[in-house]
């Protein structure tokens, strides 16, 4: 990766991250409260749905910038030594590395944000591995699907997709990935909001999933799936569309 491309990826990723987080923050707050063990109303209902927005804004730029710089760098390195048939694997690996780097920035701000949204007590350190458990599977689905849809659309029309087309691919990829990984998101939220001494406070994702399944069944595992899909579809459109558009303007 050349220095110019590094700075373009960093700037485009950061701008995209800030835009999507500030625009869609209320839906994320509603989703978090729907998944809270306290119940939606006791967790705050529709009151103060912008609570926690300062911490989200502070974390958005460096988080998204770190992700895309890592994603583009790893993708560039692997593309040079692989065949087109391995592109999905390349995108999975690049997205995984990107999430690991981004999570080092995301987790502290995420904990502060969710505390403000639902007012629980939680620990930052025990959240890191559980955030990776939830974020990496999501990216493993979203980014290969996004890249594949862009390639297919480009092939169909005979030229590289425009920014709005990339955004549309991002919306579909994000919505699909958001739906299939909802149970992991529920488990992560339960762990982050767990009271000290409770079964979920141990930070075990499988234990949290089993607890939700036993008490609420399938509806509990997919609690908040509609606002999650809506937010991530819109987020994918804004995030990936803004990223591609900013890159095209800066390169």
């Amino acid at each position: 990766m050349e220095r110019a491309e590094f700075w373009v990826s960093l700037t485009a990723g950061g701008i995209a991250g800030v835009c999507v987080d500030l625009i869609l923050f209320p839906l994320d707050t509603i989703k978090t409260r729907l998944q809270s063990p306290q119940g939606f109303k006791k967790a705050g209902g529709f009151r103060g749905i912008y609570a926690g927005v300062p911490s989200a804004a502070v974390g958005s730029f460096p988080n998204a910038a770190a992700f895309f710089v890592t994603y583009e760098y790893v993708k560039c390195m692997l593309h040079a030594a692989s065949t087109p048939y391995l592109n999905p694997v390349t995108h999975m690996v690049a997205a995984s590395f990107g999430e690991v780097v981004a999570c080092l920035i995301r987790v502290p701000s995420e904990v502060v944000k969710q505390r403000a949204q639902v007012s629980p007590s939680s620990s930052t350190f025990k959240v890191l591995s559980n955030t990776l458990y939830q974020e990496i599977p999501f990216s493993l689905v979203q980014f290969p699907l996004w890249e594949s849809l862009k390639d297919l659309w480009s092939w169909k029309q005979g030229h590289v997709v425009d920014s709005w087309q990339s955004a549309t691919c991002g919306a579909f990829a994000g919505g699909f990935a958001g739906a299939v990984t909802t149970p992991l998101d529920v488990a992560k939220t339960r762990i982050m909001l767990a009271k000290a001494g409770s079964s979920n406070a141990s930070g075990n994702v499988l234990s949290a999933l089993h607890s939700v399944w036993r008490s609420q069944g399938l509806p509990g595992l997919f609690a908040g799936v509609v606002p999650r899909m809506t937010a991530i579809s819109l987020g994918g459109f804004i995030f990936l569309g803004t990223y591609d558009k900013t890159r095209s303007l800066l390169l």
Side-chain angles (χ1 to χ4, degrees), residues 150-175:
K150 288 196 300 176
D151 289 344
L152 179 61
W153 203 336
S154 298
W155 175 73
K156 285 282 188 182
Q157 66 185 8
H159 61 83
V160 177
V161 293
D162 296 324
S163 297
W164 71 268
Q165 294 171 321
S166 175
T168 302
C169 294
F172 181 84

Side-chain angles (χ1 to χ4, degrees), residues 25-116:
F25 194 88
L27 281 174
D28 183 63
T29 302
I30 292 170
K31 182 267 298 182
T32 299
R33 291 176 179 178
L34 283 169
Q35 294 175 349
S36 170
Q38 303 174 43
F40 181 68
K41 289 185 178 179
K42 288 185 178 180
F46 290 102
R47 299 190 308 275
I49 57 175
Y50 273 95
V53 71
S55 65
V58 168
S60 292
F61 190 99
N63 169 52
F67 173 84
F68 273 112
V69 165
T70 306
Y71 178 74
E72 295 290 352
Y73 177 78
V74 174
K75 189 170 71 170
C76 180
M77 293 285 289
L78 294 179
H79 269 318
S82 66
T83 66
Y85 298 105
L86 293 177
N87 280 349
V89 176
T90 296
H91 299 144
M92 288 180 180
V93 174
S96 297
F97 274 98
E99 286 296 351
V100 170
V101 174
C103 273
L104 297 176
I105 299 171
R106 178 186 299 130
V107 168
S109 62
E110 181 76 5
V111 171
V112 173
K113 180 186 72 175
Q114 293 216 9
R115 282 175 175 171

